[in-house]
Amino acid sequence: MNRKLMAAIGAVTLLGVTACGSDSGGGGSAVAAEDRDETLTVWLMGEADSTWPELVTEVNDTFAETYPGVTVNVQYQQWGDKTTKLDAALGGSEFPDVVELGNTETMTYILNGVLAEIDPEQYDNSDTWIGGLVDTCSFEGAMYCVPYYAGSRVAVYNADMFEAATGSAEFPQTEDELLEAMTALDEEFGEGQAYSPMYLAGRNWHAAMSYVVGYGGQIAEFDEDSGEWSGTLSTPEAQAGIQHYIDLVKEWNRGDQTKDEEDHALAMAQERAALIYGNGWEAGVVVHGAEGNPDLEGTIQVAGMPGPNGEPLPSFIGGSDLAIVEKSDVQDLAAEWIALFTSEESMEVLVGKDTLPNNTKQLEPLKENPTTAPMANAVPDAWFTPIAPGWSAVEQQSVLPNMLLEVLRGTPVEEATATADAAIDDLINNEA
């Protein structure tokens, strides 16, 4: 991998040298590469540490061949408190130069002027970056982050359990067939015990909103005349999707139904669940994660999740982006490190981990691979959260998880969605 990575860094370094000659405040330096001695601080999320740590090591080693005096300080963050920590760091003098952002987080930081503009031409396959990721990095014709990887939700299931209960390891194609399989799993592994045929977390809003979209609803809509967003969870379509999801949670999740999806892979690793609905890469976490179960190697499979109306369940297009902090004094180094970490060869490492790359060129072959086809084929029809200035605040205040929790606790869906819409309306149009 070193030879190709060195070629990539060489190309980017030529661009970086040009920038170094300017006084534009972009963090450039006229010092020769081998004499640079700064520190480059990179914030990555925990998935990089648990799922592709070898890529981080290889990129850092290759980067060091050009910049032997530069210290790359990679710090791994957790989704639960990352934005709080980042906001605090940005207010002080010790902040990351490169930061990984979930694709629903980027717009707030773009609008607040936190992120430096990037030149897509410095990065591999930028002409085929997945559109849903490009949208999250774009504002008024400029780009402020680099797509890192895409994610789609799929059924992650224990094929041995399905075969024991139904006589077939194949995943059901329709929801009616799926519910029949759930009944069979109950009978085989103990109805009412600490075993969930389908472990859907009550506060998993990404999953719940897939059912909203499956029924023809949406979270919010933009009015061209007023130029504002408004919540639409009170529509009959959205309410039907939410109620359907809650019904599935209550019927098939025998654990703590008020949890979010953070530990659903653990439940499967402990063989307390036959099916979860999550990111495709979580199949690997079930087996190879820090709390995974290697004995399930070859048993944990992925498939498209059937929806409630005879169609595949629409998937949220998740994923992450990598951004350069505008305040950074080493923006040129940050750009070169990101270029290595998102190069075509680096994307192949992610593909090898059953993670979707950032571009359609490398995504297309995955549609023919049985292991990755369910994730790859979900991308074209995937849905995304509103690209609105205040969406990050909607997430930070847990509007959707709180709504789901209220319905689980007995609040009528009509009342809970009206409350959620009001909260969305108060937040979604406001720049943080």
Side-chain angles (χ1 to χ4, degrees), residues 232-295:
T232 54
L233 294 172
S234 296
T235 62
E237 296 83 1
Q239 290 178 350
I242 292 165
Q243 188 64 62
H244 189 94
Y245 181 76
I246 294 297
D247 290 343
L248 292 174
V249 172
K250 288 183 174 181
E251 180 70 19
W252 304 112
N253 181 351
R254 306 288 158 63
D256 183 350
Q257 296 176 351
T258 66
K259 286 186 175 183
D260 62 19
E261 68 274 25
E262 184 175 349
D263 70 345
H264 66 179
L266 176 61
M268 177 162 276
Q270 294 176 344
E271 299 183 76
R272 294 186 287 110
L275 166 65
I276 62 175
Y277 180 63
N279 292 287
W281 51 260
E282 289 184 283
V285 175
V286 172
V287 179
H288 301 295
E291 298 178 288
N293 185 350
D295 292 340

Side-chain angles (χ1 to χ4, degrees), residues 13 40 58 75 82 139 172 179 181 210 252 263-264 281 299 304 321-322 334 339 342 348 354 385 418:
T13 300
L40 176 70
E58 185 69 29
Q75 301 176 8
K82 192 276 302 292
F139 182 68
L179 297 183
S210 285
W252 304 112
D263 70 345
H264 66 179
W281 51 260
T299 298
D321 304 309
L322 294 168
T342 60
E348 285 300 321
D354 294 335
T385 54

